[in-house]
Amino acid sequence: MHDQNYCSSETTKLAKALIQVQRTLQPATKDRLNPFTHSNYATLNSVMDSCREALLTNGIWLTQYPVPSEPGHLGLVTKLVHAESGEWQASHAVVPLPKNDPQGLGIAMTYIRRYSISAMLGIVTEEDTDVNVPKDSGKNGARPKRQAVANASRESSLQSPPPITPSLPKLDGITYQEITATDGQVCIVATGNTQSKKELLAGAGFKWNPQRKMWWKYAQAS
């Protein structure tokens, strides 16, 4: 049974459109470093870049707006509307304000917007925050052990980064760079004089991202 507060009575056409959206979502790059947790995360701009084109192509309108909430908190509604049928689905999230002033409101708004969009569309945007729990959290020290494993993995990746696969085409004026997408997969970005080499890049499996104006592919597809 549909919950009338969070979706329309029918969602068949919306669901079909969202399936197409999820098939074509671009990876959201972790483009910012959190100085407190020393982990990378995807900003709101990155999250929007990853889904904007897919939503528009499939006729889905995304809107987010604040709603009244208890004092010291921000309420936000995120709504996906299928333009052709009018079918819709929404979520309502509430977060505490870090500061009870306009700056605190802006911080909370940006934070809750990217998390709400990511949750509704299935975009993974950040490192697992469970690795930052205090040492005495969890049962029988399970969480601290996870912290140690995460730290060891991070240190190992810094000491010996995986080399870019040698199967990439050697093209004059083209260089390759590895980045980590928010789904955990490694992507390869081609930079340089890509305009004159676009047919060769496409033949090698690279895709053109019109929002970020770059050629990219998953490393495992090389």
Side-chain angles (χ1 to χ4, degrees):
M1 180 177 294
H2 291 282
D3 186 335
Q4 297 298 326
N5 292 323
Y6 292 102
C7 64
S8 55
S9 59
E10 296 292 336
T11 58
T12 303
K13 293 181 179 179
L14 172 62
K16 289 181 178 179
L18 285 175
I19 288 174
Q20 296 304 316
V21 168
Q22 292 189 329
R23 283 176 175 170
T24 58
L25 280 177
Q26 299 286 346
T29 305
K30 296 179 182 179
D31 56 348
R32 188 71 58 83
L33 175 66
N34 186 322
F36 301 102
T37 62
H38 303 290
S39 60
N40 293 323
Y41 69 96
T43 60
L44 178 59
N45 284 339
S46 180
V47 172
M48 286 302 302
D49 283 346
S50 74
C51 65
R52 182 184 293 108
E53 185 64 25
L55 289 172
L56 294 176
T57 299
N58 290 280
I60 296 178
W61 173 44
L62 165 66
T63 182
Q64 294 181 291
Y65 50 89
V67 293
S69 185
E70 59 185 294
H73 290 72
L74 169 68
L76 183 84
V77 169
T78 299
K79 194 170 186 178
L80 300 172
V81 182
H82 188 235
E84 182 179 352
S85 65
E87 295 176 357
W88 59 274
Q89 184 176 16
S91 69
H92 177 210
V94 178
V95 293
L97 297 175
K99 296 189 296 182
N100 195 19
D101 59 16
Q103 184 181 23
L105 178 64
I107 293 172
M109 179 75 74
T110 301
Y111 183 88
I112 196 173
R113 283 186 64 193
R114 61 188 175 90
Y115 268 104
S116 295
I117 296 171
S118 300
M120 292 196 73
L121 296 178
I123 303 172
V124 180
T125 59
E126 286 197 331
E127 302 285 351
D128 187 351
T129 54
D130 283 350
V131 300
N132 298 308
V133 297
K135 291 183 178 180
D136 57 352
S137 299
K139 296 181 179 180
N140 300 323
R143 290 290 179 84
K145 182 178 180 180
R146 185 177 180 182
Q147 170 77 71
V149 172
N151 288 341
S153 176
R154 186 178 296 112
E155 291 175 2
S156 175
S157 63
L158 291 175
Q159 293 172 0
S160 56
I164 297 179
T165 175
S167 63
L168 294 172
K170 295 181 179 180
L171 304 174
D172 292 337
I174 300 296
T175 57
Y176 302 103
Q177 178 184 0
E178 288 186 353
I179 63 173
T180 302
T182 55
D183 58 5
Q185 298 191 62
V186 177
C187 295
I188 300 175
V189 176
T191 59
N193 186 20
T194 57
Q195 182 63 26
S196 62
K197 304 292 193 305
K198 58 183 180 181
E199 293 183 359
L200 295 173
L201 289 171
F206 283 85
K207 300 177 182 179
W208 174 247
N209 184 321
Q211 286 76 41
R212 300 179 188 175
K213 300 185 183 303
M214 68 179 187
W215 288 90
W216 71 278
K217 65 182 293 187
Y218 285 116
Q220 66 179 15
S222 300

